[in-house]
C-alpha cells in the first residue's frame, strides 16, 4: 500500500497513527502542498484524488481510497485488531461523533485553501484570519468536544480509538498556531496518554521523511 500525504497534513497524520496502531507498514509518497502551487493540484495526483487534497491510500491492486476517515474505517475492516471503532453500537457512535466533530466541523474551516481564500480573494488581514482560526478551533470545536468526552485515559476508555486518531493531529495544529487549550482537562488527559504510545510518536510530522 502507498500513502500519499504531507508531513504537516493533519488528515494524513490521522491515517499514519491508525496504520501504526495496527502495525501496518506502507510506502510513503509525499505530496508537497505548498511547492509550485501545490503538488496536490498536479494532474497525476488529481487522477488519484480529484479533490486535490491528501491523504489518499493506494492499494496493491491499484485502487485508491480517499478521505482520512474512510481510509481508517477501511483499515479497521481489513485488520480489525486493535479496533479503532468499538464493536458496541452506542460507543461506536460516540467515537465517530467526536471524530466527525473534528474532521467535519473544525478541520474544513481551518484548512489551507480556506485560509488562503480569506487572505487572498477576500482580502482579510492576518489578524482576522488568526481570529477565525482560533474561533473555529476552540469555541466552535474543542470546547464542545471536551464536553462530549467521559474523561477516560483516552478519548473513550483505556485504548486509543478513531477519536484519538483525529484529536491528536488537531491539537498539533492548535499548538503550531499558538491556540491554548490547557483549560480542557479531558482533552489534555487523552493527549497525554496518546503521547506515551510509539504509534503516535512515530506518526508525528517531525518524524516523517518529507519533514522540513
Ligand atoms: N476531509 C479530508 C480533508 C483532507 C484535507 O483537507 N487535507 C488537507 C491537508 S490536512 C489538504 O490536502 N489541503 C490542501 C489544500 O488545502 O490545498 C480528509 O479527512 O481526508
Amino acid at each position: 500500500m502507498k500513502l500519499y500525504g504531507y508531513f504537516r497534513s493533519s488528515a494524513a497524520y490521522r491515517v499514519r497513527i491508525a496504520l501504526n496502531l495496527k502495525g501496518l507498514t506502507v510506502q510513503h509518497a509525499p505530496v508537497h502542498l505548498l511547492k509550485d502551487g501545490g503538488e496536490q493540484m498536479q494532474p497525476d495526483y488529481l487522477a488519484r484524488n480529484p479533490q486535490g487534497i491528501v491523504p489518499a491510500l493506494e492499494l496493491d491492486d491499484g485502487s485508491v481510497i480517499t478521505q482520512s476517515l474512510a481510509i481508517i474505517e477501511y483499515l479497521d475492516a481489513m485488520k480489525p485488531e486493535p479496533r479503532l471503532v468499538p464493536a458496541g453500537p452506542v460507543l461506536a457512535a460516540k467515537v465517530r461523533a467526536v471524530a466527525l466533530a473534528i474532521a467535519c466541523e473544525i478541520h474544513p474551516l481551518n484548512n489551507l485553501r480556506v485560509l488562503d481564500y480569506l487572505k487572498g480573494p477576500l482580502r482579510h488581514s492576518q489578524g482576522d484570519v488568526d481570529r477565525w482560526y482560533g474561533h473555529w478551533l476552540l469555541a466552535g470545536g474543542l470546547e464542545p468536544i471536551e464536553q462530549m468526552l467521559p474523561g477516560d485515559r483516552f478519548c473513550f476508555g483505556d485504548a486509543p480509538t478513531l477519536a484519538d486518531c483525529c484529536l491528536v493531529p488537531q491539537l498539533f495544529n492548535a499548538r503550531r498556531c499558538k491556540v491554548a487549550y490547557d483549560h480542557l482537562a479531558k482533552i489534555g488527559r487523552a493527549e497525554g496518554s496518546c503521547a506515551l504510545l510509539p504509534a503516535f510518536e512515530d506518526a508525528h510530522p517531525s518524524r516523517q521523511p518529507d519533514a522540513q
Side-chain angles (χ1 to χ4, degrees):
M1 291 190 291
K2 198 191 263 192
L3 179 66
Y4 290 83
Y6 179 60
F7 73 109
R8 239 177 2 223
S9 155
S10 51
Y13 189 179
R14 294 170 196 155
V15 175
R16 293 196 300 262
I17 295 168
L19 286 164
N20 292 346
L21 285 168
K22 290 185 175 289
L24 294 168
T25 49
V26 291
Q27 189 186 339
H28 288 275
V31 178
H32 200 302
L33 298 186
L34 305 174
K35 200 164 79 186
D36 302 332
E39 289 178 351
Q40 71 277 24
M41 299 312 287
Q42 297 295 322
D44 58 337
Y45 185 72
L46 287 174
R48 291 184 168 88
N49 184 355
Q51 282 195 286
I53 49 179
V54 295
L57 183 72
E58 193 168 86
L59 307 184
D60 294 341
D61 68 359
S63 51
V64 179
I65 304 176
T66 60
Q67 286 290 341
S68 61
L69 268 56
I71 295 171
I72 296 173
E73 296 257 10
Y74 164 80
L75 297 174
D76 224 24
M78 296 308 289
K79 189 171 192 296
E81 293 303 327
R83 293 192 76 98
L84 297 179
V85 178
V90 173
L91 191 54
K94 285 178 184 281
V95 164
R96 286 196 179 99
V98 166
L100 291 167
I102 294 167
C104 300
E105 257 93 48
I106 300 178
H107 184 267
L109 290 171
N110 287 352
N111 204 359
L112 175 66
R113 57 189 177 171
V114 171
L115 303 181
D116 282 349
Y117 195 76
L118 288 172
K119 272 186 281 192
L122 299 185
R123 304 175 72 86
H124 282 280
S125 66
Q126 187 60 48
D128 279 353
V129 173
D130 292 346
R131 277 181 60 201
W132 166 282
Y133 189 98
H135 174 76
W136 293 115
L137 179 57
L138 266 187
L142 294 178
E143 286 172 355
I145 288 171
E146 171 80 1
Q147 298 178 51
M148 295 162 74
L149 298 180
D152 295 339
R153 191 147 73 91
F154 290 91
C155 282
F156 294 93
D158 278 333
T161 62
L162 176 66
D164 301 276
C165 294
C166 292
L167 179 67
V168 166
Q170 200 60 56
L171 298 178
F172 167 79
N173 284 354
R175 283 181 193 281
R176 203 174 137 247
C177 296
K178 300 187 174 30
V179 176
Y181 56 89
D182 323 348
H183 57 299
L184 305 175
K186 291 185 266 184
I187 283 179
R189 181 164 190 228
E191 183 186 29
S193 303
C194 292
L196 299 175
L197 300 182
F200 283 82
E201 203 184 329
D202 294 345
H204 193 275
S206 64
R207 305 279 293 264
Q208 304 316 305
D210 56 330
Q212 290 171 338

